[in-house]
């Protein structure tokens, strides 16, 4: 089964840009829909957006103005950038993939805790 | 935006018992795009069921799903020690894709 591993800084300063990368274990990068999902402390999971291997993206309207996703098929990686972060962006960020539907998360990474510091 | 509300927030049961977890949608949805996930502490979440009742690869048959319209249920027929975790429902028919707030299944 496809395995995902997220990576990135654990602390980001307020007003700066959060950047995370997810590494895919095999060449499924060109078959799946790749999503980012986050969970702030004490709150529910929130879907951030997805990217397809063609580069097509679909973002949650609540975050759309600050989100960019990209994909690098040569490295089997996809990435998330979230700019102008605030304390409300403190969360565990998960990368996930769905083979048959963009919103169905067949496989997940373990999550990366990102804390926004002041 | 669709809101999914799960109940109860916490469910305390013993191994061997039957667990019934509920998920209520703020509007009628098709069960074709209803999924359930399990999240054990320290592990990645995993897909349990999709299309409301189809088990994902490797999921034992003690997990089942049912429901229609606005009310959906995840049933675990006989709890095993590894089943104690947080469970989330999700509808993935249209973006933005939303998930419930979760039900924590704990050992009594």
């Amino acid at each position: 089964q496809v395995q995902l591993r997220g990576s990135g800084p654990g602390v980001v300063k307020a007003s700066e840009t959060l950047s995370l990368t997810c590494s895919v274990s095999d060449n499924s990068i060109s078959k799946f829909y790749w999503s980012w999902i986050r969970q702030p402390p004490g709150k529910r999971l929130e879907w951030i957006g997805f990217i397809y291997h063609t580069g097509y993206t679909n973002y949650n309207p609540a975050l759309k103005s600050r989100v960019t996703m990209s994909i690098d098929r040569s490295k089997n990686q996809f990435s998330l950038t979230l700019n102008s972060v605030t304390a409300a962006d403190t969360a565990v960020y998960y990368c996930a993939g769905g083979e048959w539907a963009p919103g169905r998360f067949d496989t997940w990474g373990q999550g990366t805790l990102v804390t926004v510091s002041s | 935006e669709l809101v999914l509300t799960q109940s109860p927030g916490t469910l305390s049961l013993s191994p061997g018992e039957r667990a019934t977890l509920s998920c209520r949608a703020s509007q009628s949805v098709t069960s074709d795009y209803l999924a359930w996930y399990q999240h054990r502490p320290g592990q990645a979440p995993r897909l349990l069921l999709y299309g409301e009742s189809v088990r994902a690869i490797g999921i034992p048959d003690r997990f089942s799903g049912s429901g229609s319209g606005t009310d959906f249920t995840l049933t675990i027929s006989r709890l095993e020690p590894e089943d104690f975790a947080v469970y989330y429902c999700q509808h993935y028919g249209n973006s933005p894709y939303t998930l419930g707030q979760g039900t924590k299944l704990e050992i009594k």
Side-chain angles (χ1 to χ4, degrees), chain B residues 59-80:
Chain B
I59 303 303
D61 60 7
R62 63 179 180 273
F63 291 91
S64 63
S66 62
S68 64
T70 59
D71 292 303
F72 300 91
T73 300
L74 170 67
T75 301
I76 310 172
S77 58
R78 284 180 56 86
L79 286 166
E80 297 288 342

Side-chain angles (χ1 to χ4, degrees), chain A residues 2-22:
Chain A
V2 176
Q3 295 188 352
L4 305 179
R5 187 179 77 250
S7 60
V11 180
V12 180
K13 291 185 178 179
S15 80
E16 296 189 347
T17 296
L18 178 160
S19 295
L20 297 173
T21 296
C22 188

Side-chain angles (χ1 to χ4, degrees), chain A residues 36-40 44-48 60 62-63, chain B residues 97 99:
Chain A
W36 290 94
I37 300 145
R38 70 179 184 177
Q39 186 169 37
R44 67 177 63 201
L45 291 160
E46 178 181 36
W47 172 76
I48 300 170
N60 189 325
L63 297 166
Chain B
Y97 309 111
L99 295 95

Side-chain angles (χ1 to χ4, degrees), chain A residues 20-22 36 51 68-72 77-81:
Chain A
L20 297 173
T21 296
C22 188
W36 290 94
I51 185 167
T68 303
M69 294 183 185
S70 60
I71 192 164
D72 187 335
Q77 292 179 337
F78 60 101
S79 299
L80 166 72
T81 61

Side-chain angles (χ1 to χ4, degrees), chain B residues 28-92:
Chain B
S28 184
V29 296
T30 171
S31 60
D32 292 346
Y33 299 101
L34 199 287
W36 290 91
Y37 300 89
Q38 177 192 66
H39 192 189
R40 295 170 179 154
Q43 297 187 17
R46 70 166 176 166
L47 177 66
L48 290 178
L49 304 172
Y50 61 92
E52 187 233 331
S53 61
V54 180
R55 283 184 293 276
I57 295 172
I59 303 303
D61 60 7
R62 63 179 180 273
F63 291 91
S64 63
S66 62
S68 64
T70 59
D71 292 303
F72 300 91
T73 300
L74 170 67
T75 301
I76 310 172
S77 58
R78 284 180 56 86
L79 286 166
E80 297 288 342
E82 63 268 26
D83 297 337
F84 292 91
V86 179
Y87 292 83
Y88 298 98
C89 62
Q90 181 216 10
H91 195 264
Y92 56 97

